Amino acid sequence: MIDTGRAVGQPVASQSGVPTVVLADAVEAEGSVEDVARIFEVSVSVVRDAVQFEHGLKRAA
């Protein structure tokens, strides 16, 4: 789940508090959703949600 009410309005993964842009950028750098989930100690679904959210922002811009 994405929470925009924390981190001064920056979208974060609600349970971990990791900014969605950080997770999405990490997937691009690492090349693997699973690796990023392990590195940040979050579920794969959290990382996928963050990537989808960030891609949606880029499409809307």
Side-chain angles (χ1 to χ4, degrees), residues 6-44:
R6 292 171 44 189
V8 193
Q10 181 179 17
V12 298
S14 62
Q15 289 183 344
S16 67
V18 179
T20 56
V21 69
V22 170
L23 293 172
D25 287 350
V27 169
E28 190 172 321
E30 294 293 326
S32 167
V33 170
E34 292 79 8
D35 287 347
V36 171
R38 182 182 43 76
I39 290 166
F40 286 94
E41 299 179 352
V42 298
S43 70
V44 168

Side-chain angles (χ1 to χ4, degrees), residues 1-5 10-15 18 20 23 46 48-51 53-54:
M1 175 183 284
I2 306 300
D3 185 351
T4 57
Q10 181 179 17
V12 298
S14 62
Q15 289 183 344
V18 179
T20 56
L23 293 172
V46 166
R48 285 188 180 132
D49 286 349
V51 169
F53 180 80
E54 289 297 323

